[in-house]
Amino acid sequence: MADDSSARIVAGLRGWIATAAPGARLPSTRQLVAQYAASPVTVQRALRTLTGEGRIESRAGVGTFVRAARTHRTADYGWQSGALRSPHTPIDSGAAALRDVPNDVIALHSGYPDRELLPARLVRSALTRATRSEAALGRSPAAGLPQLQSWFSQELGDATPAGLTPPVPSDVIVVPGSQSGLSSIFRALLAPGQPLIMESPTYWGAILAAQQAAARIVPVPSGPAGPDPAELARAFEETGARLFYAQPNYANPTGAQWPPAVHGRILDIVRDHGAFLVEDDWAHDFAIASSAVPVAAHDDTGHVVYLRSLTKSVSPALRVAAVIARGPARDRILADRQAESMYVSDLLQAAALDVVTNPSWTTHRRQVRDQLRLRRDLLARALHDHAPLAELQHLPPGGLNLWVRLPDGTDLGRVTQHCERAGLVVAAGDEWFPAEPTGPFVRLNYAGPHPAAYPDAARILNDAIARTAH
Amino acid sequence: MADDSSARIVAGLRGWIATAAPGARLPSTRQLVAQYAASPVTVQRALRTLTGEGRIESRAGVGTFVRAARTHRTADYGWQSGALRSPHTPIDSGAAALRDVPNDVIALHSGYPDRELLPARLVRSALTRATRSEAALGRSPAAGLPQLQSWFSQELGDATPAGLTPPVPSDVIVVPGSQSGLSSIFRALLAPGQPLIMESPTYWGAILAAQQAAARIVPVPSGPAGPDPAELARAFEETGARLFYAQPNYANPTGAQWPPAVHGRILDIVRDHGAFLVEDDWAHDFAIASSAVPVAAHDDTGHVVYLRSLTKSVSPALRVAAVIARGPARDRILADRQAESMYVSDLLQAAALDVVTNPSWTTHRRQVRDQLRLRRDLLARALHDHAPLAELQHLPPGGLNLWVRLPDGTDLGRVTQHCERAGLVVAAGDEWFPAEPTGPFVRLNYAGPHPAAYPDAARILNDAIARTAH
């Protein structure tokens, strides 16, 4: 798509079309080839782009024509308020972490790693192989391609200590991204109105999925060592909850990792209450200073439902993740997936499997670890040197983010506005709290573009805090 | 994946591994190249396959080794019944139309067209271009790639008569397949327990999505000319429903198409009741003897929510469809999609757009129309000549299926079993009824493999009916 000659022809023809009469015939491909000194393939690509934009239409064997513009009248959809009434689950207007921003700002708001941290060459060669294979035209079984199920179960099995039964491939359900996995887990394992315990703060996408499932969210505070087990036990007792959602490794947004001793205590509490732990291992591929051993590796009693995504570490375009669950829970989640989307694209599954079984994937992950360490330390140093008003309470051992506390009483909305005017985009921390925020926080992603600009970013942030203080 | 030499090496090594000790080192790539007279690339592919199956593991710079097999103990997940209780929505065990069957049976049960009716060359060249483009590593906006939104709105706009306002690109929400679209529409526009009117019989996937949304399904009978408008009006009045799901063109399973006069009457009834028509235009690309003008083309008041998929006509691996809706309904559906899956793979969207804006797409659709006509007529003729006990009440003007009534009192389960033993797979009609089936039907797909076997299929079906009759 981002082909320079093709873009040049598109731009040229857009101008031509703007002044042409509806129905006017475009110059022939041959004439355009001569005019733009481009190949016929490039000209065809430009024409396809303009067709996609609805500016022109081709009639086979006749030529290509300017489409007639339509007049639009304003419509009143007020009747829909009567049909729809108030929403039965809250409507979210879209998260800060998904915002697209211009290339010239310093973007620390995103939830995704920068293009340069992705295994671009591996992804493209995997997609090229998948395109040539049967996967380009195939339909996967509902639970996923057997070889990919096998890879996911093997990965978790490798972390399973001797004496415990590792998962088997049929415990794995391949889903189109971890958000879909979360939605299905909550829908399948909770009836509307039932309690769901979550860490606070926690991933905004999980809060969104919980709201969509009409769960009653029960927050438990969680710090650098995870939640306090005694507090978690009280939450189970008080509410009768059967489900606890958590990110034990490099939690989003705080980067916290549960110490090994906490793993065991929390697993015991979950079991004692006949409950499930939904373990969202979102940052499995983003370890820096420790390793990400899943809690799920220590459970073979079906109490942990494990979620592992490849979207962030492989490519945002390869939406592939896995839910690993055992027993009736697995069956209910699979039934929900079938009702929701039937199956996941064969092509994406085949390409994802190709990437993660390629020997270069290990090398790539090692490089990403080094890169993340450099970038994390660079941003932490920049905050230390240039943003005395921003407090980094905990240097995370993995993940993509720093979780930074601003002075009490800071008006977060005004701070983020000031930052944006100065060319810095940050994510206000409020979205990560399932209940009231417990303070003014911002989340700073150190995996985005332009790490060289971190000192500038820190200065802008500090200045914004200072300006908005009373 | 389906590479002959690679498969040969995989098969050979599987045998070798089965008799090898855990931890044994495999022959080197160089030795395997010599042994199998294959290229290093082919050997690597075979090793990746075996790695994916968990049979071997590579240690960088050391070699490739046989993995240790694990012992598995049986687990008791009975505690989960206490945590999960009874399901709050029904659990479906998977539909007949999605079953995979061996290549040597006559398969008339599938919901998908055979490989030879897909635009394989177009799909592969589109995927190749998308793989080289930014789409391979990109993240699409939540509502979809703007150019693809534009194409979908243009297509519906082209069918919109003068005087009505055509949809605009921002009315379009790109979804990963029509099943996801249906799930989101029902979840977003219905609260649990609210009534949803559906044609009977109708698409089993829609029934599944309605059950998942905990809708109260209200069936209205629908024949070759669609539902009786007076009966539909009564259903709205009796239940206070605000939502009516239908397939006005080439309904699945019956192939029925609403006459133009019925379009207008039904649209009036929907408007009079302040309701939505969810129009599932699943067979838009499978017209045979008429054209598929959407009801949505005649509505610019936001009363029709339009669903249009490319998965079945382009490739099952390109899971891309569109919901076109206006007003607050559109906003609620988009919010549900964001909570459910955030966004659709850029790569699949770019490839789908490339296919449908390619001039050869028009040629391909014409060829499919001719093929479907031939196959439909061949199967209808075979039933007429060889299956007097099966009654085809209506030759459909489009779609992929014949809907065939068997004699009253036929035991459908026994008929399908008899057929399978004789090498024919058919789908029992019961799955398409939202309430009790009104008779013994089978759905026969004429777009599957082996059309030359239709006379045999008809003979087997007739014989099965005769044998199971009392």
Side-chain angles (χ1 to χ4, degrees):
Chain A
M1 298 279 139
D3 177 280
D4 278 354
S5 335
S6 162
R8 189 168 48 87
I9 302 172
V10 168
L13 285 177
R14 272 198 201 119
W16 189 91
I17 292 162
T19 58
R25 183 199 291 243
L26 265 70
S28 70
T29 302
R30 189 179 305 181
Q31 289 169 315
L32 292 171
V33 164
Q35 181 182 342
Y36 288 98
S39 73
V41 170
T42 307
V43 167
Q44 281 301 329
R45 194 179 308 145
L47 293 178
R48 271 204 302 276
T49 301
L50 292 164
T51 304
E53 293 174 359
R55 293 174 200 271
I56 59 172
E57 59 188 337
S58 297
R59 294 181 210 134
V62 185
T64 306
F65 300 87
V66 175
R67 294 185 60 99
R70 301 268 203 152
T71 51
H72 294 274
R73 57 188 172 85
T74 54
D76 178 8
Y77 304 120
W79 70 268
Q80 291 190 356
S81 303
L84 295 172
R85 311 289 181 197
S86 298
H88 61 284
T89 56
I91 305 288
D92 196 89
S93 55
L98 287 177
R99 268 183 62 196
D100 273 327
V101 298
N103 220 346
D104 55 349
V105 304
I106 313 173
L108 302 185
H109 70 293
S110 171
Y112 290 79
D114 188 36
R115 187 71 54 102
E116 74 173 55
L117 296 175
L118 298 178
R121 202 182 46 76
L122 274 176
V123 168
R124 288 211 163 90
S125 63
L127 281 169
T128 301
R129 276 189 288 271
T131 293
R132 289 194 200 119
S133 78
E134 290 300 293
L137 298 162
R139 180 165 55 78
S140 157
L145 283 188
Q147 290 187 346
L148 186 59
Q149 289 180 290
S150 179
W151 182 83
F152 276 116
S153 70
Q154 196 75 60
E155 187 190 49
L156 184 56
D158 286 347
T160 302
L164 292 180
T165 307
V168 294
S170 62
D171 295 332
V172 175
I173 303 167
V174 178
V175 295
S178 65
Q179 189 67 22
S180 297
L182 279 178
S183 296
S184 280
I185 291 167
F186 293 159
R187 273 197 303 263
L189 306 188
L190 283 174
Q194 284 188 333
L196 165 62
I197 301 176
M198 305 183 101
E199 293 173 294
S200 174
T202 195
Y203 172 47
W204 62 265
I207 300 172
L208 199 59
Q211 289 171 335
Q212 188 200 37
R216 181 160 62 82
I217 297 177
V218 180
V220 295
S222 194
D228 172 12
E231 183 58 40
L232 178 66
R234 274 194 294 276
F236 273 116
E237 275 142 35
E238 278 175 27
T239 63
R242 299 289 198 148
L243 211 59
F244 170 37
Y245 167 83
Q247 297 182 323
N249 285 304
Y250 323 132
N252 179 357
T254 62
Q257 182 174 35
W258 298 1
V262 170
H263 279 212
R265 289 187 60 197
I266 288 186
L267 206 43
D268 285 345
I269 292 167
V270 167
R271 286 189 182 127
D272 286 350
H273 291 86
F276 294 94
L277 167 64
V278 178
E279 177 178 26
D280 181 357
D281 200 15
W282 77 282
H284 192 83
D285 296 323
F286 303 130
I288 296 176
S290 63
S291 54
V293 179
V295 177
H298 294 271
D299 171 63
D300 63 358
T301 57
H303 282 276
V304 181
V305 174
Y306 179 71
L307 185 58
R308 157 84 163 107
S309 175
L310 298 174
T311 300
K312 286 198 182 187
S313 53
V314 174
S315 162
L318 258 66
R319 290 195 69 50
V320 169
V323 174
I324 306 187
R326 314 192 200 198
R330 179 255 179 209
D331 301 339
R332 290 207 190 173
I333 296 165
L334 179 59
D336 185 87
R337 282 321 303 164
Q338 289 184 278
E340 164 59 39
S341 70
M342 305 248 168
Y343 63 93
V344 179
S345 162
D346 249 34
L347 182 95
L348 299 186
Q349 292 188 70
L353 177 68
D354 187 308
V355 169
V356 295
T357 54
N358 194 312
S360 309
W361 172 241
T362 313
T363 321
H364 168 78
R365 282 181 65 183
R366 213 176 303 129
Q367 288 163 351
V368 166
R369 177 187 278 250
D370 294 343
Q371 273 293 316
L372 289 178
R373 185 195 307 274
L374 278 170
R375 287 158 156 268
R376 177 198 65 174
D377 294 348
L378 194 61
L379 184 56
R381 164 64 56 185
L383 289 172
H384 178 269
D385 291 350
H386 306 293
L389 293 173
E391 185 191 2
L392 177 64
Q393 295 170 322
H394 170 245
L395 189 70
L400 305 176
N401 308 296
L402 299 185
W403 182 240
V404 173
R405 186 172 184 122
L406 309 192
D408 284 341
T410 301
D411 180 335
L412 268 185
R414 292 184 59 211
V415 166
T416 56
Q417 276 171 24
H418 266 277
C419 286
E420 294 209 13
R421 260 181 250 132
L424 169 68
V425 189
V426 299
D430 294 359
E431 287 182 16
W432 280 269
F433 286 94
E436 298 82 1
T438 55
F441 290 89
V442 290
R443 193 193 72 165
L444 306 180
N445 177 323
Y446 50 78
H450 312 311
Y454 289 167
D456 287 343
R459 278 188 212 101
I460 293 171
L461 177 63
N462 202 66
D463 184 55
I465 302 167
R467 276 163 184 269
T468 57
H470 305 280
Chain B
M1 297 277 140
D3 177 278
D4 278 352
S5 333
S6 162
R8 190 166 51 88
I9 303 172
V10 168
L13 286 176
R14 271 199 202 119
W16 189 92
I17 293 162
T19 58
R25 183 199 291 245
L26 265 70
S28 70
T29 301
R30 190 179 305 183
Q31 289 170 315
L32 293 171
V33 163
Q35 182 182 345
Y36 288 97
S39 74
V41 170
T42 305
V43 166
Q44 283 301 330
R45 194 179 307 143
L47 293 177
R48 271 205 303 276
T49 300
L50 293 164
T51 305
E53 292 173 359
R55 294 174 198 268
I56 58 172
E57 59 188 336
S58 298
R59 292 181 212 136
V62 185
T64 305
F65 301 87
V66 175
R67 294 185 60 99
R70 302 267 204 152
T71 51
H72 294 275
R73 57 189 172 86
T74 54
D76 179 8
Y77 304 119
W79 70 267
Q80 290 190 356
S81 302
L84 295 173
R85 310 289 180 196
S86 299
H88 61 284
T89 56
I91 305 289
D92 197 273
S93 55
L98 287 177
R99 268 184 62 197
D100 273 328
V101 296
N103 219 343
D104 55 349
V105 304
I106 312 172
L108 301 185
H109 71 294
S110 171
Y112 291 78
D114 187 36
R115 189 70 54 100
E116 73 172 55
L117 296 176
L118 298 177
R121 202 182 47 75
L122 273 176
V123 168
R124 290 211 161 90
S125 62
L127 281 169
T128 301
R129 276 189 289 271
T131 293
R132 291 193 197 118
S133 78
E134 290 301 293
L137 299 162
R139 180 166 55 77
S140 158
L145 282 188
Q147 291 186 347
L148 186 58
Q149 289 180 289
S150 179
W151 182 83
F152 276 116
S153 70
Q154 195 75 60
E155 187 191 49
L156 184 55
D158 285 348
T160 303
L164 293 180
T165 306
V168 295
S170 62
D171 295 332
V172 176
I173 303 167
V174 179
V175 295
S178 65
Q179 189 67 21
S180 296
L182 278 177
S183 296
S184 279
I185 292 167
F186 293 159
R187 274 197 302 263
L189 306 188
L190 283 174
Q194 283 189 334
L196 165 61
I197 301 175
M198 305 183 101
E199 294 172 293
S200 173
T202 194
Y203 173 48
W204 63 266
I207 299 172
L208 199 60
Q211 288 171 336
Q212 188 200 38
R216 180 161 61 84
I217 297 177
V218 179
V220 292
S222 194
D228 171 12
E231 183 58 40
L232 178 66
R234 274 194 295 276
F236 273 115
E237 274 142 37
E238 277 174 28
T239 63
R242 299 288 198 149
L243 211 57
F244 170 37
Y245 166 82
Q247 298 183 323
N249 285 304
Y250 322 132
N252 178 357
T254 61
Q257 182 174 34
W258 298 0
V262 169
H263 280 211
R265 289 186 62 194
I266 289 186
L267 205 43
D268 285 344
I269 292 167
V270 167
R271 286 190 182 128
D272 286 350
H273 291 86
F276 294 95
L277 167 65
V278 178
E279 177 179 24
D280 181 358
D281 200 14
W282 77 282
H284 192 82
D285 296 324
F286 302 130
I288 296 176
S290 63
S291 52
V293 178
V295 177
H298 294 272
D299 170 64
D300 62 0
T301 56
H303 282 277
V304 181
V305 174
Y306 179 72
L307 184 58
R308 157 85 163 108
S309 174
L310 298 174
T311 300
K312 287 198 181 186
S313 53
V314 174
S315 161
L318 258 64
R319 288 194 70 51
V320 169
V323 174
I324 306 186
R326 315 194 199 196
R330 179 258 180 205
D331 301 340
R332 291 207 189 172
I333 296 165
L334 180 59
D336 185 87
R337 283 319 304 163
Q338 290 184 277
E340 163 60 38
S341 69
M342 304 250 169
Y343 63 92
V344 179
S345 163
D346 249 33
L347 181 95
L348 299 186
Q349 292 188 71
L353 178 68
D354 187 309
V355 169
V356 295
T357 56
N358 193 310
S360 308
W361 173 240
T362 313
T363 320
H364 169 78
R365 281 181 66 184
R366 213 176 304 129
Q367 288 163 351
V368 167
R369 176 186 278 249
D370 293 344
Q371 273 292 317
L372 288 178
R373 184 195 305 275
L374 277 171
R375 286 157 157 270
R376 177 197 65 174
D377 294 347
L378 195 61
L379 184 56
R381 161 66 54 185
L383 290 173
H384 177 268
D385 290 350
H386 305 294
L389 293 172
E391 186 191 0
L392 175 65
Q393 293 169 324
H394 170 244
L395 188 71
L400 305 176
N401 308 296
L402 299 185
W403 182 240
V404 173
R405 185 170 187 124
L406 309 191
D408 284 342
T410 301
D411 181 334
L412 268 185
R414 291 184 61 211
V415 165
T416 56
Q417 276 171 23
H418 265 278
C419 286
E420 294 208 15
R421 259 180 249 133
L424 169 68
V425 188
V426 299
D430 294 0
E431 287 183 17
W432 280 269
F433 287 93
E436 298 82 358
T438 54
F441 289 89
V442 290
R443 193 193 72 165
L444 306 180
N445 177 323
Y446 49 78
H450 313 313
Y454 289 168
D456 287 342
R459 277 187 214 102
I460 294 171
L461 177 63
N462 202 66
D463 184 55
I465 302 167
R467 275 162 186 270
T468 58
H470 305 281

